[in-house]
Amino acid sequence: MPSSSLLRGAFAAATLYAGLGVAQDTPGDVGEHPDWPRWCGKVYESGYPSFEPGGHTVAPPTNGSTFLHVQFQPRYSLYLSTETSASFVVNAALSPWHGGAYVNSTTDGASAPEPFTDLVFSINLVDDDTPLVENRIPVNATGVEFEFDLSRLTPQLTPYEVVLFGASEHGDHNYTATGELLYLPDNPTGSATKVDNLKGGLLFKNAQTDGAFVPLLPYGYYGTYNGSTKKAASDEFVRNYTSNGKGLNAIISLASFPDTNPVYDSMDEHGLNFMFDLRGSYKNLTETEQRVNTIKHHSSLFGYWTADEPDGWQVAFETTPAAQALIHKLDPYHPVAITLNCQDFYFGEYAAGGDILMEDVYPIAINGTYSKWGTACNATLGDCGCDNCEGTVQDVSSRLDDLSQYEQWLGNWPKTKFHNPQVFHGEDYWFRDPTPAEARAMNALAFNRGATGIFGWTWPGSAALFDVHSEMAAVVTKAPVRDFLLGGKPSPLALPGYPEVVDAAYWIQGKKMLVSVVNGGYEDITGSVSIALPAAATSIKSVPFGGLSWQLLGGQLTVNGLPAMSASFIVLKLEAAK
């Protein structure tokens, strides 16, 4: 049981679902040499030859042609009967790989050709061809939102099938795409979570939000509870874990107790959002059904977690989608998350089983070239605790970059991504905990790459790191920082003249901008550091995180020195548009 799951497997021996006798994952048959000890498709014990593991996601071949890749999704993963309108997000991107053939010409056959600059389309219900949207989108535009009225639909527990028909102005080029729309009856005593298919964040509602959907950036740990059935004990657990509601706001519940334990009632009462752990049950659909039906009514539930590193375990491809489909049927109000461990082993097949993808890159204090198993670690051999990692904080941003690149190559709609920070050491893979500074830097790098949730493995653990993450959670789970991180995808900031370990991104919301700056190196950058901004700013409104004395001078963001392994969030006021 290699990689992070060696640690997880030992930990899980004390956290199995009571009474069901469930086991952790066992190695599957995906890839080459399934009878050998493998992780991420690669053999990891000495005495075996290396081999090409396969499963790589690469750019599709191209012949120089241009294609029009038409895609669409509902803006949100679900809508409720209490809502009156919804919207679709449409992409009409030019692609070298995906879509239908495109030429910049359209004609009715009787007149001279015109440029093909707009796609005329309708989005219809499949059942009766009722049009929900009829509009047009410029060719090569993406992320364009089109609103429609929900009053023509009846709420139901299964998705509506929808189809987009698109054509050039004169109808001589045609394109289609299919999708689903989930329009549900309200569940006023439970909860519901929307996944934002445009910006990647979550919205959550329950009775404590007065039935209104509010932004949720979940930040917490994979955490355990002692199993006490006394309400005083469970209330104390929630208060301590959340720092009395001022720190962590979410937990993935690693439970060594029955699903009826009152700790879930305490989470409901005190507003600790939880993702329910099904990793020991997801392969057994009967157990999965039993457990989902037991837990789905809780008002603090915001999602389910099924597979822990199925790519590392080489689990059969169909396993996680089968669990996901069952959960969607039993509880269509909440998304399903999975954790991926490998840098590049059948990403598309394994990502298919989750609505939310979590990566668990654990790079700190590893030997990235030679493992405890007595082998080298490289693209075809070995397991060093972090697949194909360099052993730096930049492994986090690199992995998230990789996952986004794979989605683009596969032509997939981007999924919501969470980061699982390393908050542990041991098992002869990780020789120390991350420092507080490394922990902050890795999370900031994840945010700079669009992560919209954080869950560390595991708690209880280091008190120092718990304090670090609680302090950071107090900033990023609340306005104004939360609203930037969930309100749009980050854009990179160019930093010419600075080392590659300096990383920066920005978000713009109306007349304000958030800038995140990370020095992910182990050396201070001395002297004045200046960063050119993508928009004209008039002042710094606040520096909610990092503790550095940033200034706005000559239209640039400046600071006197950038300490090693530091992270800063700066909110600026922008000039009004002229």
Side-chain angles (χ1 to χ4, degrees):
M1 190 185 299
S3 195
S4 57
S5 280
L6 183 69
L7 184 69
R8 292 188 177 203
F11 183 83
T15 59
L16 298 182
Y17 174 56
L20 294 180
V22 296
Q24 290 303 291
D25 272 330
T26 54
D29 292 338
V30 171
E32 304 296 324
H33 303 291
D35 53 330
W36 293 1
R38 300 173 304 137
W39 187 256
C40 295
K42 299 181 288 188
V43 68
Y44 61 86
E45 288 187 4
S46 61
Y48 294 86
S50 66
F51 58 88
E52 170 52 55
H56 300 304
T57 307
V58 298
T62 180
N63 60 9
S65 299
T66 299
F67 302 93
L68 185 59
H69 191 204
V70 179
Q71 298 172 289
F72 76 108
Q73 289 277 0
R75 168 66 189 271
Y76 296 108
S77 58
L78 61 85
Y79 294 90
L80 299 183
S81 57
T82 53
E83 300 177 84
T84 59
S85 64
S87 62
F88 288 108
V89 180
V90 181
N91 293 344
L94 294 176
S95 169
W97 309 302
H98 303 290
Y102 172 80
V103 292
N104 188 16
S105 176
T106 178
T107 179
D108 60 6
S111 54
E114 302 171 9
F116 179 7
T117 57
D118 287 329
L119 181 75
V120 182
F121 72 91
S122 68
I123 298 174
N124 297 14
L125 295 178
V126 169
D127 279 350
D128 60 9
D129 208 31
T130 298
L132 301 176
V133 173
E134 294 177 294
N135 217 305
R136 62 176 60 218
I137 181 174
V139 168
N140 212 27
T142 59
V144 183
E145 196 170 359
F146 298 92
E147 189 171 320
F148 64 96
D149 188 352
L150 284 168
S151 64
R152 289 176 286 177
L153 303 178
T154 301
Q156 60 185 38
L157 294 176
T158 56
Y160 284 94
E161 294 184 4
V162 287
V163 59
L164 182 151
F165 299 107
S168 56
E169 186 73 38
H170 294 295
D172 51 340
H173 304 289
N174 294 280
Y175 306 84
T176 60
T178 58
E180 293 182 337
L181 172 68
L182 191 56
Y183 180 42
L184 298 168
D186 190 22
N187 58 339
T189 61
S191 64
T193 304
K194 291 176 181 266
V195 178
D196 187 339
N197 289 318
L198 178 60
K199 298 179 179 179
L202 303 182
L203 296 176
F204 178 79
K205 78 100 182 175
N206 62 9
Q208 291 186 345
T209 70
D210 294 325
F213 280 101
V214 298
L216 172 64
L217 193 154
Y219 193 137
Y221 279 71
Y222 296 81
T224 59
Y225 169 63
N226 65 18
S228 171
T229 58
K230 297 180 178 179
K231 188 173 186 302
S234 62
D235 284 346
E236 182 182 16
F237 165 81
V238 173
R239 286 194 297 268
N240 290 342
Y241 178 84
T242 63
S243 304
N244 290 313
K246 297 178 182 179
L248 305 177
N249 70 342
I251 190 170
I252 297 177
S253 55
L254 304 178
S256 59
F257 44 81
D259 297 337
T260 54
N261 189 282
V263 71
Y264 295 112
D265 297 324
S266 293
M267 293 181 191
D268 291 345
E269 181 179 342
H270 296 283
L272 173 57
N273 302 115
F274 73 92
M275 182 180 284
F276 189 64
D277 172 14
L278 289 166
R279 65 188 167 134
S281 306
Y282 80 96
K283 289 183 177 180
N284 184 323
L285 297 184
T286 300
E287 287 180 5
T288 297
E289 181 171 1
Q290 172 191 339
R291 300 189 69 200
V292 169
N293 282 335
T294 299
I295 210 75
K296 67 183 182 182
H297 305 291
H298 278 280
S299 63
S300 54
L301 173 70
F302 82 93
Y304 297 92
W305 176 50
T306 56
D308 184 22
E309 304 173 336
D311 50 348
W313 290 105
Q314 301 107 191
V315 171
F317 295 147
E318 67 273 12
T319 310
T320 53
Q324 179 192 33
L326 175 62
I327 295 166
H328 284 172
K329 179 180 178 181
L330 298 170
D331 181 5
Y333 295 92
H334 300 100
V336 176
I338 61 172
T339 302
L340 299 182
N341 179 260
C342 306
Q343 190 250 346
D344 185 17
F345 188 65
Y346 291 103
F347 167 79
E349 289 82 355
Y350 287 115
D355 307 306
I356 297 168
L357 303 182
M358 300 194 286
E359 50 76 15
D360 59 354
V361 174
Y362 302 145
I364 300 302
I366 64 168
N367 182 339
T369 59
Y370 196 80
S371 81
K372 69 176 186 176
W373 303 97
T375 72
C377 286
N378 53 47
T380 62
L381 178 68
D383 168 41
C384 282
C386 189
D387 191 39
N388 297 333
C389 291
E390 297 291 333
T392 68
V393 297
Q394 286 76 28
D395 287 317
V396 172
S397 47
S398 294
R399 182 63 55 84
L400 287 164
D401 285 340
D402 289 341
L403 301 188
S404 295
Q405 180 67 80
Y406 300 156
E407 288 174 325
Q408 184 180 6
W409 283 340
L410 292 168
N412 292 347
W413 195 279
K415 291 190 175 183
T416 291
K417 314 282 192 316
F418 289 177
H419 171 53
N420 291 172
Q422 178 183 345
V423 288
F424 63 88
H425 72 281
E427 300 300 327
D428 293 330
Y429 284 122
W430 306 277
F431 297 102
R432 63 171 174 84
D433 287 347
T435 65
E438 288 169 333
R440 297 183 192 100
M442 286 190 287
N443 280 357
L445 288 172
F447 290 131
N448 286 5
R449 295 306 187 277
T452 55
I454 301 287
F455 286 100
W457 181 272
T458 58
W459 188 84
S462 160
L465 289 176
F466 178 82
D467 290 343
V468 166
H469 286 289
S470 296
E471 291 165 4
M472 196 169 196
V475 173
V476 303
T477 65
K478 299 177 176 63
V481 175
R482 175 202 63 196
D483 297 337
F484 285 103
L485 298 179
L486 300 184
K489 298 292 181 70
S491 299
L493 268 176
L495 300 169
Y498 294 105
E500 290 185 1
V501 293
V502 181
D503 189 275
Y506 70 93
W507 298 254
I508 293 177
Q509 291 287 304
K511 296 180 181 179
K512 295 185 292 184
M513 175 168 58
L514 172 70
V515 176
S516 167
V517 183
V518 181
N519 177 4
Y522 290 93
E523 296 182 1
D524 296 343
I525 296 176
T526 58
S528 180
V529 174
S530 297
I531 299 174
L533 297 173
T538 60
S539 62
I540 292 177
K541 288 182 65 68
S542 65
V543 182
F545 189 80
L548 300 183
S549 298
W550 290 91
Q551 296 179 286
L552 186 65
L553 299 175
Q556 295 193 328
L557 196 57
T558 66
V559 68
N560 185 22
L562 202 57
M565 210 56 63
S566 62
S568 295
F569 295 147
I570 309 102
V571 179
L572 301 105
K573 183 178 180 181
L574 300 179
E575 284 186 1
K578 296 181 181 180

